[in-house]
Amino acid sequence: EVQLVESGGGLVQPGGSLRLSCVASGFTFSNYWMSWVRQAPGKGLEWVANIKHDGNEKYCVDSVKGRFTISRDNAKNSLYLQMNSLRAEDTAVYYCARKLYGSGSLDYWGQGTLVTVSS
Amino acid sequence: AIRMTQSPSSLSASTGDRVTITCRASQGISSYLAWYQQKPGKAPNLLIYAASTLQSGVPSRFSGSGSGTDFTLTISCLQSEDFATYYCQQYYSYPQTFGQGTKVEIK
């Protein structure tokens, strides 16, 4: 059974940092592109970042460029999102998701981890 | 960035109804479109990818169509478990973008 379990969310002050983790199981993690998607409270979905299966290609939305870094450790079946210089508008549930093989759609999602940026 | 616009933003329907949701892209995206269902407090669930391919395990009452800029998601016979919010997503180019969502409510 495919499982994605996020952790690392919490309350952080504006300007602070957090590192989100996502541990994958039930599939060969190193074969898949992975994504982070976020959802602000009561709002819609926003794609944040993608990373290729070998970590050699990364893409992110303009609003987080220079502040967030996506990475992965295939030996640990883990995906990460390092978030620096956090702003109130980064407050959201962050989901880790697997890209369907051969497609850009997202076929498995974690349960999400809440990041709250507030003083 | 490609803007995805869904309509309507919400709708009320009854069990057994046929429901259609549309998604329009601000530029052509070929068939690089997915549809997701999200229930409150839960992660999204992939329904359709490549505009019209039903994801494994998704009931056949869900169908998708379209290409280029105009797409539709149809639920042929609405069931109680289908009351949820639906999102389209383009993955033709970065940044990948979602529509604003369509909430399907009980009439």
Side-chain angles (χ1 to χ4, degrees):
Chain A
E1 179 193 6
V2 171
Q3 285 198 317
L4 299 168
V5 180
E6 302 97 334
S7 61
L11 175 63
V12 61
Q13 292 189 338
S17 298
L18 274 179
R19 187 197 197 203
L20 305 185
S21 299
C22 170
V23 177
S25 60
F27 65 102
T28 304
F29 180 72
S30 58
N31 286 351
Y32 287 84
W33 284 72
M34 297 295 295
S35 298
W36 287 100
V37 176
R38 66 184 179 183
Q39 187 168 35
K43 302 297 184 183
L45 301 169
E46 180 183 32
W47 171 79
V48 175
N50 279 0
I51 186 167
K52 193 178 177 182
H53 51 81
D54 58 5
N56 286 339
E57 287 184 44
K58 304 176 184 181
Y59 302 89
C60 65
V61 68
D62 281 353
S63 60
V64 308
K65 278 181 183 173
R67 301 189 299 123
F68 290 11
T69 302
I70 188 172
S71 63
R72 65 191 296 159
D73 184 338
N74 287 343
K76 294 183 178 179
N77 288 343
S78 293
L79 175 72
Y80 305 103
L81 186 67
Q82 177 66 45
M83 305 187 295
N84 299 330
S85 302
L86 282 160
R87 305 168 180 166
E89 55 265 36
D90 296 319
T91 294
V93 173
Y94 285 73
Y95 295 101
C96 133
R98 187 184 85 167
K99 287 184 70 174
L100 179 65
Y101 197 85
S103 167
S105 57
L106 302 170
D107 63 347
Y108 284 93
W109 297 62
Q111 83 288 352
T113 188
L114 176 62
V115 172
T116 303
V117 184
S118 174
S119 55
Chain B
I2 297 174
R3 181 175 176 84
M4 306 301 292
T5 303
Q6 290 182 230
S7 61
S9 295
S10 65
L11 65 91
S12 296
S14 301
T15 304
D17 284 354
R18 180 182 182 89
V19 168
T20 298
I21 299 168
T22 66
C23 178
R24 175 164 288 175
S26 60
Q27 64 186 75
I29 59 170
S30 185
S31 295
Y32 294 98
L33 184 104
W35 288 98
Y36 301 87
Q37 176 194 68
Q38 188 180 33
K39 296 181 179 179
K42 300 294 186 181
N45 180 47
L46 176 65
L47 300 174
I48 302 278
Y49 63 94
S52 60
T53 303
L54 195 66
Q55 170 67 347
S56 176
V58 174
S60 58
R61 63 181 178 273
F62 292 92
S63 63
S65 65
S67 67
T69 59
D70 294 310
F71 302 86
T72 60
L73 172 71
T74 300
I75 310 172
S76 60
C77 183
L78 199 66
Q79 302 298 300
S80 57
E81 60 267 31
D82 301 336
F83 292 98
T85 300
Y86 294 84
Y87 295 93
C88 61
Q89 176 215 8
Q90 67 82 18
Y91 48 93
Y92 176 80
S93 68
Y94 288 111
Q96 297 179 347
T97 44
F98 290 88
Q100 82 279 14
T102 295
K103 188 173 184 179
V104 177
E105 299 175 299
I106 301 172
K107 196 173 205 177

